[in-house]
Amino acid sequence: MKVWKLIVSGCIIVLAMLLMMYLRPAKIHKELPALIYSTDKKFEQHTTIAIDTLV
């Protein structure tokens, strides 16, 4: 009976650790090219959108 309790508690601890690793915050840093559109053809410009966050 004691061995069974140790196995079950070990499995619960391993599952909890895996869940914590899966749900931990991840750092995201992305730079995406973009284009600014306008009705005036001379106004169209290239730009970059940067996303830097902790999710």
Side-chain angles (χ1 to χ4, degrees), residues 1-13:
M1 192 68 162
K2 289 182 182 181
V3 175
W4 178 252
K5 286 182 181 180
L6 286 174
I7 292 172
V8 171
S9 61
C11 289
I12 290 173
I13 290 171

Side-chain angles (χ1 to χ4, degrees), residues 33-50:
L35 185 64
I36 300 173
Y37 289 104
S38 175
T39 54
D40 183 17
K41 292 194 183 243
K42 295 180 182 177
F43 182 75
E44 293 178 358
Q45 298 176 356
H46 292 276
T47 188
T48 303
I49 298 172

